[in-house]
Amino acid sequence: MQADFHMHTVLCKHATGTAADYVKSARKKNIPEICFTDHAPAPDGYDSKHRMAIDDFPKYEAMIRELQECEYPKVLYGIEADYYKGCERFLRPWLARQNFDMVIGSIHFIKDWGFDNPDERNVWDSIEVTNTWSEYFKLIRKMAKTKLYDVVAHLDLPKKFGHIPPAKDLNEMLCPALDSIAEAGMVIELNASGLRRPVKEVYPSLSVLKLARERDILICFGSDAHSPEEVGYAFDSTFKLARDAGYTHCVHFRERKKLLTPLIHDV
Ligand code: ZN
Ligand code: FE
Ligand code: FE
Ligand code: ZN
């Protein structure tokens, strides 16, 4: 069983279960390694409904550090931090002071539209799909250029509700984005949460992953669990996708360093 490098805690206000329950769930499913990556605080007020308050951050660290004392699974300490205009003012000095094992970078907003938020889904009916994706990938390129993050979260997230541009348009915007990701040395996660959404697909799709593979971009696995039972979610599907794209290894993280690990499935 591979490691699960993406999961949340109650501190972000939209996940359930105690962090200890996530660890228990991993133990029960025989997942040897998990990394907590809750939504990072943003003292400028950005999307405060979906992230921990800055005052809760010491609680987050203490909670994970305590769980690291267990023997199995190995528990790692990470964070999911959004990229948006102006985020660096806080993030750059703050990340430099923390001792995370990995930092996931994600984009959940285009301007002030939470494009993956079910409450704002109807906006998709009044916009142009290809242009919207193109805006999204411009942000991905900007995110990569900051070199603040280790991993790109859910790379083709705009497909969540099924709005997907024609393949030719998608390739045109994807290639420069992947080039920036490769140049920054960022890893792409195979995020299983897409299987729980209307699109019913892992993020990213096979065609996207193949283009990443061509550029020698490395991968890691994440369930994006927001409840204990989602830890290790649909691992078989993400594993198969990695293999289908030609991957033989994935990355585990330690203190923001990449450990290359062979893809071995013992089922
Ligand atoms: Zn979340
Ligand atoms: Fe996310
Ligand atoms: Fe997440
Ligand atoms: Zn997420």
Coordinates of all heavy atoms in Angstrom, one line a residue, residues 6 8-9 12 14-15 37-39 50-51 80 108 116 154 197 224-226, ligand 1:
H6 N -2.2 13.5 1.5 CA -3.1 14.6 1.5 C -4.3 14.3 2.4 O -5.2 13.5 2.0 CB -3.5 14.9 0.1 CG -4.3 16.2 -0.2 ND1 -4.2 16.8 -1.4 CD2 -5.0 16.9 0.7 CE1 -5.0 17.9 -1.3 NE2 -5.5 18.0 0.0
H8 N -7.0 16.2 5.7 CA -7.4 17.4 6.5 C -7.7 17.1 8.0 O -7.7 15.9 8.4 CB -8.5 18.1 5.8 CG -8.0 18.6 4.4 ND1 -7.4 19.8 4.3 CD2 -8.0 18.0 3.2 CE1 -7.1 20.0 3.0 NE2 -7.4 18.9 2.3
T9 N -8.0 18.1 8.7 CA -8.4 17.9 10.1 C -9.6 18.8 10.4 O -9.9 19.7 9.6 CB -7.3 18.3 11.1 OG1 -7.3 19.7 11.3 CG2 -6.0 17.8 10.7
C12 N -9.9 23.0 9.8 CA -10.2 23.7 8.6 C -11.7 24.0 8.5 O -12.2 24.6 7.5 CB -9.7 23.0 7.4 SG -10.6 21.5 6.9
H14 N -14.3 22.3 7.6 CA -15.2 21.5 6.7 C -14.7 20.0 6.6 O -14.9 19.4 5.6 CB -15.2 22.2 5.4 CG -13.9 22.3 4.6 ND1 -13.0 23.2 4.9 CD2 -13.4 21.5 3.7 CE1 -11.9 23.1 4.1 NE2 -12.1 22.0 3.4
A15 N -14.0 19.6 7.7 CA -13.7 18.1 7.7 C -14.2 17.6 9.1 O -14.5 18.3 10.0 CB -12.1 18.0 7.7
T37 N -2.2 17.4 5.8 CA -2.0 18.6 5.0 C -3.2 19.5 5.1 O -3.9 19.7 4.1 CB -1.7 18.2 3.5 OG1 -2.8 17.4 3.1 CG2 -0.4 17.5 3.3
D38 N -3.5 20.0 6.3 CA -4.7 20.8 6.4 C -4.5 22.2 5.8 O -3.4 22.6 5.5 CB -5.1 21.0 7.9 CG -6.6 21.1 8.0 OD1 -7.3 21.1 7.0 OD2 -7.1 21.2 9.2
H39 N -5.6 22.8 5.5 CA -5.6 24.2 4.8 C -4.9 25.2 5.7 O -5.3 25.4 6.8 CB -7.0 24.6 4.5 CG -7.8 23.7 3.6 ND1 -7.5 23.7 2.2 CD2 -8.7 22.7 3.8 CE1 -8.3 22.8 1.6 NE2 -9.1 22.2 2.6
H50 N -12.8 28.3 5.0 CA -12.3 26.9 4.7 C -10.9 26.7 5.2 O -10.2 25.8 4.5 CB -12.4 26.7 3.2 CG -13.8 26.8 2.6 ND1 -14.3 27.9 1.9 CD2 -14.9 26.0 2.7 CE1 -15.5 27.7 1.6 NE2 -15.9 26.6 2.1
R51 N -10.5 27.3 6.2 CA -9.1 27.1 6.7 C -9.0 27.3 8.1 O -9.8 28.0 8.7 CB -8.1 28.0 5.9 CG -8.3 29.5 6.0 CD -7.7 30.2 4.9 NE -8.1 29.6 3.6 CZ -7.4 28.8 2.9 NH1 -6.1 28.5 3.2 NH2 -7.9 28.3 1.8
E80 N -1.5 22.3 3.2 CA -2.0 22.7 1.9 C -2.2 24.2 1.9 O -3.0 24.7 2.6 CB -3.3 22.0 1.6 CG -3.9 22.4 0.2 CD -5.2 21.7 -0.2 OE1 -5.7 20.8 0.6 OE2 -5.7 22.0 -1.3
H108 N -7.9 27.4 -5.6 CA -9.3 27.1 -5.5 C -10.1 28.3 -6.0 O -11.4 28.3 -5.9 CB -9.6 26.8 -4.0 CG -9.0 25.6 -3.5 ND1 -8.0 25.6 -2.6 CD2 -9.3 24.3 -3.7 CE1 -7.7 24.3 -2.3 NE2 -8.5 23.5 -2.9
D116 N -14.5 25.7 -7.6 CA -14.7 24.3 -7.2 C -15.7 24.2 -6.1 O -16.0 23.1 -5.6 CB -13.4 23.5 -7.0 CG -12.9 23.8 -5.6 OD1 -12.9 25.0 -5.1 OD2 -12.4 22.8 -4.9
H154 N -4.4 18.6 -7.0 CA -5.5 18.4 -8.0 C -5.3 19.3 -9.2 O -6.1 20.2 -9.4 CB -6.8 18.6 -7.3 CG -6.9 19.7 -6.2 ND1 -6.6 21.0 -6.5 CD2 -7.2 19.6 -4.9 CE1 -6.7 21.7 -5.3 NE2 -7.1 20.9 -4.4
R197 N -16.5 13.2 -6.8 CA -17.2 14.4 -7.3 C -17.9 14.1 -8.6 O -17.7 13.0 -9.2 CB -16.1 15.5 -7.6 CG -15.1 15.8 -6.6 CD -15.7 16.3 -5.3 NE -14.7 16.5 -4.3 CZ -14.8 16.2 -3.0 NH1 -16.0 15.7 -2.5 NH2 -13.9 16.4 -2.1
D224 N -7.0 13.3 -0.2 CA -7.7 14.5 0.1 C -8.8 14.2 1.1 O -9.9 14.8 0.9 CB -8.2 15.2 -1.2 CG -8.2 16.7 -1.0 OD1 -8.1 17.2 0.1 OD2 -8.3 17.4 -2.1
A225 N -8.5 13.3 2.0 CA -9.6 12.9 3.0 C -10.0 14.1 3.8 O -9.2 14.8 4.3 CB -9.0 11.8 3.9
H226 N -11.3 14.2 3.9 CA -11.9 15.2 4.8 C -12.7 14.5 5.9 O -13.5 15.1 6.7 CB -12.8 16.2 4.1 CG -12.1 17.3 3.3 ND1 -11.3 17.0 2.2 CD2 -11.9 18.6 3.6 CE1 -10.8 18.1 1.8 NE2 -11.1 19.1 2.6
Ligands
ZN1 ZN -10.7 21.1 2.1

